[in-house]
Amino acid sequence: MIKRIGVLTTGGDSPGTNAVIRAIGKSSQSQGIQLIGFQDGFSGMADDHFLELESSYFSGIITKGGTLLGTNRDLPNKVLVDGNCVDLTAEIVNIYNKHELNCLICLGGGGAQESARILMEAGLNMITIPVTIDNDIPHTDASVGFDSAMQTAAEAIDRLHSTAISHHRIIIVEIMGRETGWLTLGAGIAGGADVILIPEIPYDFKKISEAIFQRSRSGKRFSLIAVSEGAISLDSVLFFQKARKTSERLHTGQAENEIAQKLELIEKKAAGDTLHLAHQLEKMTSLVTRVTILGYVQRGGTPSARDRLLATRLGTACVNFIIQGNFGVMTAISEGKIEAVPIADVAGKVKSIPLDHAWLHAARQVGTCLGN
Ligand code: F6P
């Protein structure tokens, strides 16, 4: 018999998070289940910061951005305390037991899945819901927040278009997505971007400038480029491949590991260098080039109707899974149907854009340069 369940948000907030909390709250209440909301992710839970979520909390929040519970990026075994990373798994387990919970619901992206896996290993009943603007969670067609963020980014591209046309400039718009390009590709296509650069396809400066020249030849003296924050140039990828091989040849054991780790760090920094991209393209095309970094604007604001609907379906389905005793799963959506996917199949994995994805074909077919 399910009596008390907990819920928390972890990772970056997303439009629609509150709509998920509302759906969980209203449906658990209707089943006579009490809902405890832990504040500020796992560090807040370890400190037992909680709210008894009663019906008043759920009024008027379906339209509200952010998360009423607060959030951060701590994992249960990596909580930032006074600048140090501390393992608070045991404390979190104690709080779960203290509140006599039957299950803990974890809302978030990749970090939420990983955290749930850690706490399952510690013996807790866990269930997750994919909530991230990045849309990079495997085994679900959508995550809550993606649709709203895509709309925001597409609207920004629309606005940038008119000024790019007036000034005959290249405007580069950097869109969130360190590891995957879903948001950039979706918003880029919807906004009619001329060039779309994503982490999955390393870009070649020459191909981009050729595409811009081609546009100039056909009388278009402006270009709109949508770039993911994690997009990387082919030059950088090749350079790091070479550096890795050289290091493998010259070093062994500990030294090789250290160098490999450092190289990975530097490579991550080389990705997302949008200012360098702008500088290079300005040099190569002689067109004035400006950069707009959309940043956190994409995570804020009112969720779209589609996200509210998804949030309500996933939140209510999650409570049904709990009542059925179906723990250790992520509440997913596949081809319009709700599914329970084992957290073990999702944790630690990223859903990248497959190179044969229909969105990429469509973009190429309308003449968009993908940088390769
Ligand atoms: O929410 C996911 C995400 O938006 C990524 O696309 C982005 O790289 C990251 O969060 C930045 O988040 P923060 O600065 O809050 O850690």
Side-chain angles (χ1 to χ4, degrees), residues 50-125:
F50 70 96
L51 301 168
E52 293 272 359
L53 293 176
E54 288 149 10
S55 54
S56 59
Y57 281 98
F58 312 129
S59 304
I61 63 165
I62 195 164
T63 53
K64 289 218 170 99
T67 163
L68 72 91
L69 292 174
T71 187
N72 62 36
R73 293 204 176 272
D74 292 328
L75 300 182
N77 61 351
K78 283 184 192 148
V79 176
L80 211 57
V81 181
D82 301 329
N84 298 313
C85 216
V86 187
D87 184 348
L88 294 183
T89 307
E91 283 76 358
I92 290 165
V93 170
N94 283 343
I95 298 296
Y96 178 102
N97 291 330
K98 180 192 145 190
H99 287 280
E100 298 179 355
L101 299 181
N102 298 110
C103 181
L104 177 65
I105 308 168
C106 198
L107 313 181
Q113 317 308 324
E114 183 57 19
S115 301
R117 189 188 59 74
I118 293 164
L119 293 175
M120 274 161 63
E121 279 170 11
L124 304 192
N125 290 333

Side-chain angles (χ1 to χ4, degrees), residues 12-13 73 132-134 176-178 229 296 299:
D13 64 348
R73 293 204 176 272
T132 166
I133 64 162
D134 291 332
M176 275 188 167
R178 275 189 289 232
E229 56 183 345
Y296 298 92
R299 285 218 310 236

Side-chain angles (χ1 to χ4, degrees), residues 209-232:
S209 56
E210 268 164 28
I212 292 168
F213 284 135
Q214 172 72 33
R215 286 176 52 73
S216 304
R217 280 196 292 275
S218 65
K220 290 171 185 152
R221 293 162 62 207
F222 72 94
S223 286
L224 211 300
I225 303 181
V227 59
S228 297
E229 56 183 345
I232 187 164

Side-chain angles (χ1 to χ4, degrees), residues 17-308:
T17 315
N18 281 327
V20 179
I21 297 171
R22 170 184 179 271
I24 295 170
K26 289 202 172 215
S27 60
S28 52
Q29 245 174 17
S30 69
Q31 305 282 339
I33 300 168
Q34 251 182 309
L35 182 65
I36 311 290
F38 293 100
Q39 295 169 294
D40 301 330
F42 287 105
S43 53
M45 180 167 177
D47 286 338
D48 202 15
H49 292 156
F50 70 96
L51 301 168
E52 293 272 359
L53 293 176
E54 288 149 10
S55 54
S56 59
Y57 281 98
F58 312 129
S59 304
I61 63 165
I62 195 164
T63 53
K64 289 218 170 99
T67 163
L68 72 91
L69 292 174
T71 187
N72 62 36
R73 293 204 176 272
D74 292 328
L75 300 182
N77 61 351
K78 283 184 192 148
V79 176
L80 211 57
V81 181
D82 301 329
N84 298 313
C85 216
V86 187
D87 184 348
L88 294 183
T89 307
E91 283 76 358
I92 290 165
V93 170
N94 283 343
I95 298 296
Y96 178 102
N97 291 330
K98 180 192 145 190
H99 287 280
E100 298 179 355
L101 299 181
N102 298 110
C103 181
L104 177 65
I105 308 168
C106 198
L107 313 181
Q113 317 308 324
E114 183 57 19
S115 301
R117 189 188 59 74
I118 293 164
L119 293 175
M120 274 161 63
E121 279 170 11
L124 304 192
N125 290 333
M126 297 297 299
I127 194 158
T128 65
I129 298 182
V131 179
T132 166
I133 64 162
D134 291 332
N135 192 38
D136 59 352
I137 307 299
H139 303 296
T140 183
D141 290 346
S143 54
V144 177
F146 174 65
D147 185 69
S148 314
M150 185 165 61
Q151 181 65 29
T152 303
E155 276 167 19
I157 296 177
D158 292 347
R159 287 167 197 274
L160 293 169
H161 241 124
S162 56
T163 175
I165 293 170
S166 310
H167 286 265
H168 316 300
R169 285 174 171 166
I170 298 176
I171 292 202
I172 304 181
V173 51
E174 186 189 281
I175 294 175
M176 275 188 167
R178 275 189 289 232
E179 299 195 50
T180 65
W182 293 104
L183 204 49
T184 308
L185 184 59
I189 293 173
D194 308 298
V195 180
I196 299 178
L197 306 175
I198 55 175
E200 289 86 344
I201 304 179
Y203 59 82
D204 184 339
F205 290 106
K206 274 206 208 111
K207 299 275 179 200
I208 305 171
S209 56
E210 268 164 28
I212 292 168
F213 284 135
Q214 172 72 33
R215 286 176 52 73
S216 304
R217 280 196 292 275
S218 65
K220 290 171 185 152
R221 293 162 62 207
F222 72 94
S223 286
L224 211 300
I225 303 181
V227 59
S228 297
E229 56 183 345
I232 187 164
S233 73
L234 193 60
D235 285 352
S236 301
V237 170
L238 296 176
F239 170 80
F240 286 105
Q241 274 173 6
K242 229 185 191 173
R244 248 177 234 116
K245 276 198 188 134
T246 315
S247 142
E248 274 164 29
R249 227 177 344 111
L250 299 179
H251 306 91
T252 48
Q254 177 74 359
E256 189 192 332
N257 282 343
E258 270 174 29
I259 293 174
Q261 275 169 15
K262 282 212 174 111
L263 278 174
E264 203 182 311
L265 269 182
I266 305 171
E267 188 171 6
K268 278 202 175 130
K269 282 193 187 145
D273 196 348
T274 304
L275 294 180
H276 177 64
L277 171 69
H279 182 68
Q280 284 295 107
L281 290 181
E282 189 163 85
K283 248 191 0 200
M284 292 170 90
T285 63
S286 307
L287 282 174
V288 174
T289 304
R290 295 281 192 264
V291 172
T292 294
I293 297 178
L294 282 193
Y296 298 92
V297 164
Q298 298 158 95
R299 285 218 310 236
T302 309
S304 66
R306 193 180 282 273
D307 270 332
R308 294 181 213 176

